[in-house]
Amino acid sequence: LLLLLLLPAARSQADQVQDLVMRLLEAKLLLPAERKFRKPKPGRKKLVKYPRTLEPAEAEWNEELFYAISYEQPWGTMFYLLSALVVVGVIGVTLFPLAPHWVRLSVLYLLSGLLSVLLGTMALRYVVWFGVWLATGAHFWLLPNMMSEELPITELFSPFVTYEAAGAGDKASSLALRGAAAAVLAAGCWGLYAVGPNAETVKDNLQGARDSVLHYFDLADSMRQGISNGTNTTGIDLNSTKAAGGGSSSGAKGKAAGSAS
């Protein structure tokens, strides 16, 4: 206010505001910034008035720019809490190989489950979109912002669905193109069915992949513990192995006795 009073009164208010902003910019008391994303977010028709993400701009007066005040934010309780959690997390990851077997196995299954949910949701989105597009030519998306790199994580699941009807002259939704896509899909499904393995082979491959992962992360201790406790978990007949070993030992002793006599 004092600076406005010191400016010449003959000038308009807009000129006085511009001079004030320029003086604050020269004194580095204001930081100019502009929008990082200049297009509306998916599912919206216009830009938000006050965006969350900005990037530096040239030091000039422009009504389209934003001007921020630079200050050092004091450290609060949340800062110390997050710092402590980072330290605990680093220690936990470092000592993870020494954790009990059930803890490591639980973490592996938990992460595998989260990855399966993520990949399954992505696959479901494309299957639903392709089915609706193939039938009607419209674009129907579940969680349209899920794969966006521009939005914060709190906005990735909003809106839940979007629907865009096919236009009259939309070549990407023409009947000929959808018919060709249906033919390619049918041919691909028939080829996979013709050359694909049977159910037993798929089951065996999945079991082998699971065992390989457990061995890779050194999580197959339950198998070794079962053998040490007398429980056969490997499918090998331990009794026949012992019997075969005992027979060969007796034969070796008989040969030794015969040679001695």
Side-chain angles (χ1 to χ4, degrees):
L1 181 60
L2 181 60
L3 291 176
L4 287 175
L5 294 176
L6 295 177
L7 293 174
R11 307 189 64 186
S12 63
Q13 184 178 1
D15 294 335
Q16 295 177 14
V17 171
Q18 180 178 355
D19 291 340
L20 174 60
V21 172
M22 292 304 299
R23 292 187 182 185
L24 293 177
L25 290 174
E26 292 175 358
K28 298 187 182 302
L29 297 177
L30 286 182
L31 298 177
E34 59 184 354
R35 297 176 183 269
K36 183 176 182 180
F37 308 110
R38 297 174 176 81
K39 295 182 179 180
K41 298 177 181 179
R44 297 182 179 179
K45 297 182 179 180
K46 61 180 181 179
L47 294 170
V48 296
K49 187 175 182 180
Y50 298 106
R52 296 183 179 181
T53 307
L54 300 172
E55 60 183 4
E58 295 183 3
E60 61 180 1
W61 165 249
N62 191 338
E63 294 183 359
E64 299 296 330
L65 296 181
F66 298 88
Y67 297 92
I69 299 176
S70 178
Y71 75 101
E72 293 185 3
Q73 184 178 2
W75 292 352
T77 306
M78 185 59 64
F79 173 80
Y80 296 102
L81 179 60
L82 294 178
S83 300
L85 290 178
V86 169
V87 174
V88 173
V90 171
I91 295 176
V93 172
T94 305
L95 298 179
F96 180 75
L98 302 179
H101 175 264
W102 66 271
V103 173
R104 292 180 287 150
L105 193 62
S106 301
V107 172
L108 177 62
Y109 282 141
L110 176 62
L111 297 179
S112 301
L114 293 177
L115 181 61
S116 300
V117 170
L118 178 61
L119 296 179
T121 304
M122 294 172 58
L124 179 63
R125 292 177 67 247
Y126 288 104
V127 168
V128 172
W129 171 83
F130 184 77
V132 175
W133 176 80
L134 196 62
T136 64
H139 298 277
F140 180 81
W141 284 103
L142 296 174
L143 301 175
N145 296 332
M146 181 179 178
M147 305 303 297
S148 176
E149 299 179 356
E150 302 176 355
L151 300 179
I153 191 172
T154 55
E155 299 182 10
L156 293 181
F157 303 98
S158 176
F160 185 74
V161 296
T162 57
Y163 179 82
E164 181 181 354
D170 189 3
K171 297 182 180 180
S173 301
S174 62
L175 185 61
L177 181 60
R178 287 184 283 144
V184 172
L185 177 64
C189 292
W190 180 84
L192 291 176
Y193 176 78
V195 302
N198 54 25
E200 292 296 331
T201 303
V202 173
K203 183 179 179 181
D204 294 340
N205 292 336
L206 291 177
Q207 185 66 30
R210 173 184 174 275
D211 295 339
S212 298
V213 171
L214 293 179
H215 281 289
Y216 180 80
F217 289 101
D218 195 19
L219 294 174
D221 295 341
S222 57
M223 182 183 298
R224 293 193 292 268
Q225 291 174 1
I227 295 176
S228 62
N229 294 332
T231 305
N232 185 8
T233 59
T234 61
I236 303 175
D237 191 355
L238 300 179
N239 294 327
S240 61
T241 305
K242 292 181 179 179
S248 60
S249 177
S250 300
K253 291 181 181 179
K255 290 181 180 179
S259 61
S261 61

